[in-house]
Short mmCIF file of all heavy atoms in Angstrom, two decimals:
data_model
loop_
_atom_site.label_atom_id
_atom_site.label_comp_id
_atom_site.label_asym_id
_atom_site.label_seq_id
_atom_site.Cartn_x
_atom_site.Cartn_y
_atom_site.Cartn_z
N ARG G 1527 27.07 -59.22 98.91
CA ARG G 1527 27.60 -58.11 98.13
C ARG G 1527 28.37 -57.20 99.08
O ARG G 1527 27.85 -56.81 100.12
CB ARG G 1527 26.47 -57.32 97.48
CG ARG G 1527 26.94 -56.07 96.74
CD ARG G 1527 25.75 -55.28 96.20
NE ARG G 1527 26.16 -54.02 95.62
CZ ARG G 1527 25.32 -53.11 95.14
NH1 ARG G 1527 24.01 -53.35 95.17
NH2 ARG G 1527 25.76 -51.98 94.62
N CYS G 1529 31.20 -53.76 99.38
CA CYS G 1529 31.73 -52.63 98.63
C CYS G 1529 32.32 -51.61 99.59
O CYS G 1529 31.70 -51.26 100.60
CB CYS G 1529 30.62 -51.98 97.80
SG CYS G 1529 31.16 -50.57 96.80
N VAL G 1536 32.27 -48.88 104.50
CA VAL G 1536 32.08 -50.22 103.95
C VAL G 1536 30.60 -50.55 103.96
O VAL G 1536 29.90 -50.32 104.96
CB VAL G 1536 32.85 -51.27 104.78
CG1 VAL G 1536 32.65 -52.65 104.19
CG2 VAL G 1536 34.32 -50.91 104.85
N PHE G 1537 30.10 -51.08 102.87
CA PHE G 1537 28.72 -51.58 102.80
C PHE G 1537 28.76 -53.07 102.47
O PHE G 1537 29.56 -53.52 101.66
CB PHE G 1537 27.92 -50.86 101.72
CG PHE G 1537 26.57 -51.50 101.48
CD1 PHE G 1537 25.49 -51.20 102.31
CD2 PHE G 1537 26.38 -52.43 100.47
CE1 PHE G 1537 24.25 -51.81 102.12
CE2 PHE G 1537 25.15 -53.05 100.27
CZ PHE G 1537 24.08 -52.74 101.11
N TRP G 1538 27.87 -53.82 103.15
CA TRP G 1538 27.62 -55.18 102.69
C TRP G 1538 26.15 -55.52 102.86
O TRP G 1538 25.47 -54.99 103.74
CB TRP G 1538 28.52 -56.21 103.39
CG TRP G 1538 28.32 -56.43 104.86
CD1 TRP G 1538 27.30 -57.08 105.48
CD2 TRP G 1538 29.21 -56.02 105.91
NE1 TRP G 1538 27.49 -57.12 106.83
CE2 TRP G 1538 28.66 -56.48 107.13
CE3 TRP G 1538 30.42 -55.33 105.93
CZ2 TRP G 1538 29.27 -56.24 108.36
CZ3 TRP G 1538 31.03 -55.11 107.16
CH2 TRP G 1538 30.45 -55.56 108.34
N GLY G 1539 25.68 -56.36 101.98
CA GLY G 1539 24.29 -56.79 102.01
C GLY G 1539 24.18 -58.24 101.57
O GLY G 1539 24.86 -58.67 100.63
N TRP G 1540 23.33 -59.00 102.26
CA TRP G 1540 23.13 -60.41 101.95
C TRP G 1540 21.89 -60.60 101.08
O TRP G 1540 20.93 -59.84 101.15
CB TRP G 1540 22.96 -61.21 103.24
CG TRP G 1540 24.23 -61.37 104.04
CD1 TRP G 1540 24.69 -60.56 105.02
CD2 TRP G 1540 25.19 -62.42 103.89
NE1 TRP G 1540 25.89 -61.02 105.51
CE2 TRP G 1540 26.21 -62.17 104.83
CE3 TRP G 1540 25.29 -63.53 103.05
CZ2 TRP G 1540 27.32 -63.00 104.97
CZ3 TRP G 1540 26.40 -64.36 103.20
CH2 TRP G 1540 27.39 -64.10 104.13
N ALA G 1543 20.55 -57.66 98.87
CA ALA G 1543 20.26 -56.37 99.49
C ALA G 1543 21.31 -55.34 99.09
O ALA G 1543 22.51 -55.58 99.25
CB ALA G 1543 20.21 -56.51 101.01
N GLY G 1544 20.86 -54.21 98.57
CA GLY G 1544 21.76 -53.13 98.19
C GLY G 1544 21.58 -51.93 99.09
O GLY G 1544 20.76 -51.93 100.01
N ILE G 1589 32.62 -62.07 108.52
CA ILE G 1589 33.18 -60.83 107.97
C ILE G 1589 34.00 -60.15 109.05
O ILE G 1589 33.50 -59.88 110.15
CB ILE G 1589 32.06 -59.88 107.49
CG1 ILE G 1589 31.17 -60.57 106.45
CG2 ILE G 1589 32.66 -58.60 106.91
CD1 ILE G 1589 29.94 -59.75 106.08
N ARG G 1600 36.03 -55.54 114.35
CA ARG G 1600 34.80 -56.30 114.58
C ARG G 1600 34.83 -57.55 113.71
O ARG G 1600 35.42 -57.57 112.62
CB ARG G 1600 33.54 -55.47 114.29
CG ARG G 1600 33.35 -55.06 112.87
CD ARG G 1600 32.11 -54.17 112.69
NE ARG G 1600 30.86 -54.90 112.79
CZ ARG G 1600 29.91 -54.64 113.69
NH1 ARG G 1600 30.06 -53.68 114.58
NH2 ARG G 1600 28.79 -55.34 113.72
N ASP G 1602 31.93 -60.19 112.35
CA ASP G 1602 30.55 -60.62 112.24
C ASP G 1602 30.53 -62.10 111.85
O ASP G 1602 31.02 -62.47 110.77
CB ASP G 1602 29.80 -59.80 111.17
CG ASP G 1602 29.46 -58.40 111.66
OD1 ASP G 1602 30.11 -57.94 112.62
OD2 ASP G 1602 28.55 -57.77 111.10
N TRP G 1618 16.03 -62.93 111.08
CA TRP G 1618 17.45 -63.24 111.00
C TRP G 1618 18.18 -62.72 112.24
O TRP G 1618 17.67 -61.86 112.97
CB TRP G 1618 18.09 -62.69 109.73
CG TRP G 1618 17.92 -61.22 109.45
CD1 TRP G 1618 16.98 -60.65 108.66
CD2 TRP G 1618 18.76 -60.15 109.93
NE1 TRP G 1618 17.15 -59.28 108.62
CE2 TRP G 1618 18.24 -58.95 109.39
CE3 TRP G 1618 19.87 -60.08 110.76
CZ2 TRP G 1618 18.81 -57.70 109.65
CZ3 TRP G 1618 20.44 -58.84 111.03
CH2 TRP G 1618 19.91 -57.68 110.48
N GLN G 1620 22.32 -61.70 113.66
CA GLN G 1620 23.72 -61.45 113.34
C GLN G 1620 24.47 -61.26 114.65
O GLN G 1620 24.15 -60.37 115.44
CB GLN G 1620 23.86 -60.20 112.48
CG GLN G 1620 25.29 -59.80 112.18
CD GLN G 1620 25.95 -60.72 111.19
OE1 GLN G 1620 25.63 -60.67 110.00
NE2 GLN G 1620 26.87 -61.56 111.65
N PRO G 1670 19.22 -48.72 114.69
CA PRO G 1670 20.27 -49.73 114.74
C PRO G 1670 21.63 -49.18 114.33
O PRO G 1670 22.31 -49.71 113.47
CB PRO G 1670 19.77 -50.81 113.77
CG PRO G 1670 18.93 -50.05 112.79
CD PRO G 1670 18.31 -48.92 113.55
N LEU G 1682 31.61 -47.22 113.65
CA LEU G 1682 30.15 -47.18 113.72
C LEU G 1682 29.60 -48.24 112.80
O LEU G 1682 30.03 -48.36 111.64
CB LEU G 1682 29.62 -45.80 113.32
CG LEU G 1682 28.11 -45.58 113.39
CD1 LEU G 1682 27.80 -44.13 113.79
CD2 LEU G 1682 27.41 -45.88 112.07
N ALA G 1683 28.65 -49.03 113.30
CA ALA G 1683 27.98 -50.05 112.49
C ALA G 1683 26.50 -49.72 112.45
O ALA G 1683 25.86 -49.54 113.50
CB ALA G 1683 28.20 -51.44 113.08
N PHE G 1684 25.95 -49.65 111.25
CA PHE G 1684 24.54 -49.33 111.06
C PHE G 1684 23.90 -50.39 110.20
O PHE G 1684 24.25 -50.56 109.03
CB PHE G 1684 24.39 -47.96 110.40
CG PHE G 1684 22.99 -47.65 109.94
CD1 PHE G 1684 21.92 -47.64 110.84
CD2 PHE G 1684 22.72 -47.36 108.61
CE1 PHE G 1684 20.63 -47.35 110.42
CE2 PHE G 1684 21.44 -47.06 108.18
CZ PHE G 1684 20.39 -47.07 109.08
N HIS G 1685 22.96 -51.15 110.78
CA HIS G 1685 22.17 -52.11 110.01
C HIS G 1685 20.93 -51.41 109.48
O HIS G 1685 20.01 -51.10 110.25
CB HIS G 1685 21.81 -53.31 110.88
CG HIS G 1685 22.96 -54.22 111.15
ND1 HIS G 1685 23.86 -54.00 112.18
CD2 HIS G 1685 23.40 -55.35 110.51
CE1 HIS G 1685 24.78 -54.95 112.17
NE2 HIS G 1685 24.53 -55.78 111.18
N ASP G 1686 20.92 -51.13 108.21
CA ASP G 1686 19.86 -50.32 107.60
C ASP G 1686 18.61 -51.18 107.42
O ASP G 1686 18.35 -51.73 106.35
CB ASP G 1686 20.34 -49.77 106.26
CG ASP G 1686 19.43 -48.68 105.72
OD1 ASP G 1686 18.36 -48.45 106.31
OD2 ASP G 1686 19.79 -48.04 104.72
N ASN G 1687 17.84 -51.28 108.50
CA ASN G 1687 16.64 -52.11 108.52
C ASN G 1687 15.70 -51.51 109.55
O ASN G 1687 16.05 -51.36 110.72
CB ASN G 1687 17.02 -53.55 108.92
CG ASN G 1687 15.83 -54.49 108.89
OD1 ASN G 1687 14.71 -54.15 109.26
ND2 ASN G 1687 16.08 -55.73 108.46
N PRO G 1720 15.79 -56.49 105.15
CA PRO G 1720 17.09 -56.88 104.59
C PRO G 1720 18.18 -56.93 105.64
O PRO G 1720 18.16 -56.20 106.63
CB PRO G 1720 17.36 -55.75 103.57
CG PRO G 1720 16.65 -54.56 104.14
CD PRO G 1720 15.40 -55.11 104.78
N LEU G 1721 19.16 -57.79 105.40
CA LEU G 1721 20.36 -57.84 106.23
C LEU G 1721 21.43 -57.09 105.45
O LEU G 1721 22.08 -57.63 104.55
CB LEU G 1721 20.78 -59.29 106.49
CG LEU G 1721 21.69 -59.53 107.71
CD1 LEU G 1721 21.94 -61.02 107.90
CD2 LEU G 1721 22.99 -58.77 107.68
N ARG G 1722 21.58 -55.84 105.80
CA ARG G 1722 22.58 -54.99 105.15
C ARG G 1722 23.18 -54.07 106.20
O ARG G 1722 22.53 -53.71 107.18
CB ARG G 1722 21.95 -54.17 104.02
CG ARG G 1722 20.76 -53.32 104.44
CD ARG G 1722 20.13 -52.63 103.27
NE ARG G 1722 18.98 -51.82 103.67
CZ ARG G 1722 18.26 -51.07 102.83
NH1 ARG G 1722 18.57 -51.03 101.54
NH2 ARG G 1722 17.25 -50.35 103.27
N CYS G 1723 24.42 -53.69 105.99
CA CYS G 1723 25.16 -53.00 107.05
C CYS G 1723 26.14 -52.01 106.43
O CYS G 1723 26.76 -52.29 105.40
CB CYS G 1723 25.89 -54.02 107.91
SG CYS G 1723 26.80 -53.33 109.30
N TRP G 1724 26.28 -50.88 107.09
CA TRP G 1724 27.35 -49.91 106.81
C TRP G 1724 28.30 -49.90 108.01
O TRP G 1724 27.85 -49.90 109.16
CB TRP G 1724 26.78 -48.51 106.62
CG TRP G 1724 26.01 -48.30 105.36
CD1 TRP G 1724 24.66 -48.45 105.19
CD2 TRP G 1724 26.53 -47.87 104.10
NE1 TRP G 1724 24.31 -48.15 103.90
CE2 TRP G 1724 25.44 -47.79 103.20
CE3 TRP G 1724 27.81 -47.56 103.65
CZ2 TRP G 1724 25.60 -47.40 101.88
CZ3 TRP G 1724 27.97 -47.17 102.33
CH2 TRP G 1724 26.87 -47.09 101.46
N VAL G 1725 29.59 -49.84 107.75
CA VAL G 1725 30.58 -49.72 108.81
C VAL G 1725 31.52 -48.57 108.43
O VAL G 1725 32.01 -48.50 107.30
CB VAL G 1725 31.38 -51.02 109.01
CG1 VAL G 1725 32.52 -50.80 110.00
CG2 VAL G 1725 30.47 -52.12 109.51
#
Side-chain angles (χ1 to χ4, degrees):
R1527 175 184 174 184
C1529 181
V1536 180
F1537 171 83
W1538 66 74
W1540 288 91
I1589 303 172
R1600 65 183 287 121
D1602 284 21
W1618 55 265
Q1620 176 73 73
L1682 182 146
F1684 169 59
H1685 286 85
D1686 193 352
N1687 183 322
L1721 201 176
R1722 55 185 180 178
C1723 182
W1724 289 92
V1725 173

